[in-house]
Amino acid sequence: MQPTNEKRIRLNDSLEAVAVLGHNDEYLGLISESFNSRIATRGDEIVISGDLDEVNRVARLFNELLYLYRLGNAVTRHEVRYSIRMVKEDRSDHLHQMFSDTVLVTIRGRHIKPKTLGQRCYLEAIRNHHITFGIGPAGTGKTYLAVAMAVFSLKNREVERIILTRPAVEAGEKLGFLPGDLQEKVDPYLRPLYDALYDILGTETFQKYMAKNIIEVAPLAYMRGRTLNDSFIILDEAQNTTPRQMKMFLTRLGFGSKMVVTGDITQVDLPPGTPSGLKQTQQVFRDVQGIECVSLTEHDVIRHEIVGRIVKAYDLYEQQQG
């Protein structure tokens, strides 16, 4: 019979207990289901007993969740489930780096930080390259993190303005039939970018920046012929650009500027037979210095956990269909 090993994790107060164990011990239940160790709470301590390797893993898990909470962040079901996965794969050291990487704090005091290793790689690519492609399914934070990095760069005076653009699926030909002025015609296409900026900056600051042209919003067709200096430029929904549009956009890059191109190559809305410019870039820029392509997967989905399963199910179905 193997000896029972035991480790104790000390909690500072009841708030820490609720943070890492969950309301009504919701997180404790998730953790207990994932490991063979016995986990009990005794006063201000979490007591873990069982096989030595398992005990060490569970202790590392609780220590990382406490570290996240003590940095001033909320511990959510996503963080718990993702941390369990990383600890079981013996990659808990990456969790520490990920939890400590705060991009900025929103107007409401929420810390924006990567929630998966894929997201951290994405942020590092944006920091270290002139052009970054973020390709992945819905819910992986491609757009939101790009906007957060743009605001960070603006606040730190690395750039003088933020330029947001998105292709209208109709490539501009049908915008004239929509009611309103140009801004009103384009607004529906750019709503996700607006939502991210409202959340990060607040309504008042966002509107002030728009009025001063510090934040510029324009359809992709209006980028032609421009050279964009000292700017942070985001092209969203780039899977709906043609190769010609993509080349036109990328060659707008000027001095002191940074570009982030985001999209989901599984959701192309271009007419049948029209190739996606975003798909093409994966081959064109494979070995080009200063350009990085980051692929996010269902493991990086931050929305409801079933969204990740939906993405995975579609990927499997499309593979089976050849």
Side-chain angles (χ1 to χ4, degrees):
M1 182 176 177
Q2 291 184 341
T4 299
N5 299 277
E6 185 178 279
K7 279 203 171 184
R8 294 170 179 260
I9 307 294
R10 189 170 185 82
L11 302 170
N12 290 331
D13 51 40
S14 60
L15 293 176
E16 286 195 347
V18 173
V20 299
L21 300 174
H23 292 283
N24 299 319
D25 289 341
E26 177 191 2
Y27 302 158
L28 177 60
L30 283 174
I31 296 167
S32 297
E33 290 170 8
S34 303
F35 297 94
N36 295 321
S37 299
R38 182 174 179 270
I39 308 169
T41 55
R42 295 176 190 165
D44 59 353
E45 289 184 325
I46 300 172
V47 183
I48 310 156
S49 55
D51 174 75
L52 181 60
D53 286 342
E54 283 280 280
V55 167
N56 286 334
R57 283 194 176 96
V58 176
R60 281 199 299 272
L61 172 63
F62 278 115
N63 281 325
E64 289 300 334
L65 294 176
L66 280 170
Y67 175 70
L68 176 65
Y69 177 74
R70 287 166 181 170
L71 284 173
N73 301 279
V75 178
T76 68
R77 186 179 176 89
H78 164 78
E79 273 86 20
V80 174
R81 293 181 69 89
Y82 193 78
S83 298
I84 289 170
R85 177 168 162 254
M86 296 298 290
V87 167
K88 289 175 80 72
E89 294 175 2
D90 290 323
R91 294 197 288 169
S92 57
D93 55 324
H94 294 294
L95 280 175
H96 206 74
Q97 299 167 3
M98 189 176 77
F99 289 157
S100 61
D101 186 5
T102 298
V103 178
L104 52 76
V105 180
T106 70
I107 192 72
R108 297 177 182 175
R110 188 169 64 84
H111 291 240
I112 299 177
K113 59 175 67 235
K115 294 180 178 290
T116 68
L117 287 186
Q119 288 191 351
R120 187 165 190 271
C121 289
Y122 179 48
L123 289 174
E124 283 299 299
I126 295 172
R127 289 175 178 132
N128 297 319
H129 295 84
H130 296 297
I131 299 175
T132 301
F133 292 92
I135 301 174
T140 50
K142 305 181 300 295
T143 301
Y144 191 88
L145 289 175
V147 171
M149 286 298 292
V151 173
F152 173 85
S153 297
L154 183 67
K155 287 188 172 183
N156 284 273
R157 301 189 176 182
E158 296 171 9
V159 297
E160 294 179 358
R161 57 183 174 158
I162 298 171
I163 298 174
L164 309 172
T165 186
R166 200 179 188 196
V169 175
E170 300 86 0
E173 290 91 355
K174 296 181 182 177
L175 284 175
F177 293 100
L178 296 174
D181 59 20
L182 175 63
Q183 198 66 51
E184 291 170 327
K185 295 174 193 289
V186 174
D187 275 357
Y189 294 99
L190 297 158
R191 182 52 51 189
L193 296 169
Y194 284 142
D195 290 344
L197 284 164
Y198 279 130
D199 185 50
I200 295 167
L201 291 171
T203 305
E204 186 177 337
T205 302
F206 171 69
Q207 290 176 346
K208 180 177 74 175
Y209 284 173
M210 285 285 286
K212 292 183 176 181
N213 211 33
I214 294 172
I215 294 177
E216 179 186 346
V217 180
L220 181 59
Y222 285 73
M223 293 294 107
R224 188 175 300 279
R226 300 179 64 183
T227 300
L228 306 172
N229 295 317
D230 301 312
S231 303
F232 197 113
I233 311 134
I234 300 172
L235 171 58
D236 193 34
E237 295 291 333
Q239 74 274 8
N240 290 326
T241 61
T242 65
R244 285 186 64 186
Q245 287 175 321
M246 181 63 75
K247 181 180 178 181
M248 177 275 291
F249 172 75
L250 295 175
T251 52
R252 301 307 95 202
L253 184 70
F255 293 108
S257 290
K258 197 178 282 280
M259 279 183 172
V260 179
V261 180
T262 70
D264 179 0
I265 56 175
T266 67
Q267 296 196 39
V268 177
D269 298 315
L270 292 167
T274 303
S276 167
L278 184 61
K279 280 187 178 181
Q280 189 186 72
T281 59
Q282 292 179 293
Q283 284 75 46
V284 174
F285 300 117
R286 187 173 296 162
D287 300 311
V288 177
Q289 189 175 358
I291 299 177
E292 183 74 4
C293 181
V294 178
S295 295
L296 301 165
T297 70
E298 76 274 4
H299 297 303
D300 301 299
V301 172
I302 308 301
R303 295 177 186 171
H304 194 291
E305 59 197 61
I306 201 169
V307 175
R309 296 178 205 155
I310 291 169
V311 171
K312 190 172 183 179
Y314 270 112
D315 287 344
L316 182 62
Y317 173 78
E318 287 166 5
Q319 289 171 12
Q320 291 172 343
Q321 296 301 308

